[in-house]
Amino acid sequence: MLIRYKKSFKKIAMGLLSFMPREKELRTLKETMDCYESNDDRQLFLWKVDEDVVGVIGVAVHDTKVEILHIAVNPSFRDEGIGTEMMAAVTKLFSDRDVGPNESTTRFFEKCTKESR
Ligand SMILES: CC(C)(COP(=O)(O)OP(=O)(O)OC[C@H]1O[C@@H](n2cnc3c(N)ncnc32)[C@H](O)[C@@H]1OP(=O)(O)O)[C@@H](O)C(=O)NCCC(=O)NCCS
């Protein structure tokens, strides 16, 4: 289930974001979190399975398009379709806009769109 980020999930969200290759450095990761917490056009979502938060997906919302900036799943829960479900949930949530990847999420986005065709 997709839920909106709130501050009580900050540590788990940072842990999940750190699986993105470009978020390995703590300084970069902190800047990324600040950006999601302070800009209205940046939105972060978490994926819950029962009571466990196992995934994160973050977007930049523009007038007509939504850019997927980050997506990561806890390694213990990978290859179960969660990443694909998160992509689909965000695409549905922003169905009034054109949803696409940035350079960090292109590979997985393209895999998901190829398979849903
Ligand atoms: C990418 C990621 C979110 C996928 O999550 P997931 O829940 O395992 O995804 P799904 O179970 O829906 O899909 C698994 C499939 O995606 C593939 N996949 C994993 N990472 C991928 C990537 N970076 N690019 C393309 N395909 C990828 C897997 O090989 C698997 O393929 P298969 O179904 O042919 O065996 C997860 O691997 C992750 O957190 N990676 C680290 C963060 C990252 O690099 N994010 C940016 C991705 S571009």
Side-chain angles (χ1 to χ4, degrees):
M1 181 182 62
L2 194 71
I3 57 167
R4 270 301 286 271
Y5 167 79
K6 52 184 179 193
K7 278 210 162 109
S8 57
F9 292 124
K10 186 165 185 166
K11 282 190 181 159
I12 181 104
M14 284 178 77
L16 289 164
L17 284 171
S18 73
F19 292 119
M20 292 287 304
R22 290 195 184 174
E23 303 291 341
K24 296 272 177 246
E25 260 189 52
L26 186 58
R27 193 167 58 96
T28 315
L29 185 57
K30 282 183 170 164
E31 283 169 9
T32 296
M33 272 317 289
D34 285 350
C35 208
Y36 278 117
E37 287 184 330
S38 55
N39 293 347
D40 287 342
D41 63 345
R42 294 290 166 101
Q43 294 187 23
L44 198 58
F45 300 90
L46 300 164
W47 189 263
K48 253 186 160 183
V49 173
D50 301 323
E51 287 312 300
D52 294 323
V53 175
V54 300
V56 69
I57 184 164
V59 301
V61 182
H62 307 291
D63 284 347
T64 58
K65 67 174 198 172
V66 168
E67 206 181 350
I68 300 172
L69 308 178
H70 297 95
I71 181 162
V73 170
N74 177 325
S76 308
F77 290 81
R78 286 189 194 161
D79 293 325
E80 294 178 11
I82 292 172
T84 306
E85 279 191 87
M86 287 199 295
M87 284 286 190
V90 160
T91 303
K92 192 173 167 204
L93 188 65
F94 295 102
S95 55
D96 57 337
R97 290 177 170 85
D98 184 17
V99 178
N102 73 350
E103 69 280 8
S104 303
T105 59
T106 298
R107 279 189 57 218
F108 186 63
F109 181 87
E110 285 182 349
K111 179 177 173 58
C112 294
T113 45
K114 220 183 278 168
E115 287 183 357
S116 68
R117 264 186 226 146

